[in-house]
Amino acid sequence: QVQLVESGGGLVQPGGSLRLSCAASGSIVSIYTMGWYRQAPGKQRELVATITSGRNTNYADSVKGRFTISRDNAKNTVYLQMNSLKPEDTAVYYCNADLIVFPSVPHDYWGRGTQVTVSS
């Protein structure tokens, strides 16, 4: 059984920083792509950033230059460093991982989400 657990969310003032973490646990053979998605009230879930096993990254235009995604393969963990936060960044942030659990095939898994609130 695979579990993704997000942490690091909270309340921060505009211009502040926050670092999210997502740790994957279980009988994981390998993790291909890990990423962060977010969903604000009344809006659809959207991609924030992804990172492949080769550490190629992709960012939503709205966060480029402000957010940085990284991963620690030894810890099966992905991070999202969020700087210069804006009120519009307020959302529940979800971790996603495309991985293999022995003896299965690649499959997408989701975390339960962590709330990020940017407000004065």
Side-chain angles (χ1 to χ4, degrees), residues 20-41:
L20 305 183
S21 299
C22 173
S25 62
S27 300
I28 300 171
V29 176
S30 63
I31 303 177
Y32 296 106
T33 301
M34 302 186 79
W36 291 94
Y37 295 72
R38 67 186 182 187
Q39 186 169 23

Side-chain angles (χ1 to χ4, degrees), residues 8-20 66-67 81-91 93 115-120:
L11 175 64
V12 64
Q13 292 186 319
S17 297
L18 215 55
R19 190 190 191 214
L20 305 183
R66 300 188 298 119
F67 291 9
Q81 179 65 48
M82 304 185 293
N83 299 325
S84 302
L85 283 162
K86 306 174 181 179
E88 48 264 45
D89 293 319
T90 296
Y93 284 70
Q115 177 70 48
V116 172
T117 302
V118 185
S119 176
S120 299

Side-chain angles (χ1 to χ4, degrees), residues 1 4-7 10-12 31-32 34 39 43 58 63 68-70 75 83 87 95-96 101-104 107 114:
Q1 186 71 16
L4 302 182
V5 180
E6 302 98 333
S7 62
L11 175 64
V12 64
I31 303 177
Y32 296 106
M34 302 186 79
Q39 186 169 23
K43 300 183 66 177
N58 184 46
V63 306
T68 301
I69 189 170
S70 61
K75 297 180 179 179
N83 299 325
C95 177
N96 172 264
V101 179
F102 179 84
S104 190
H107 184 72
T114 184

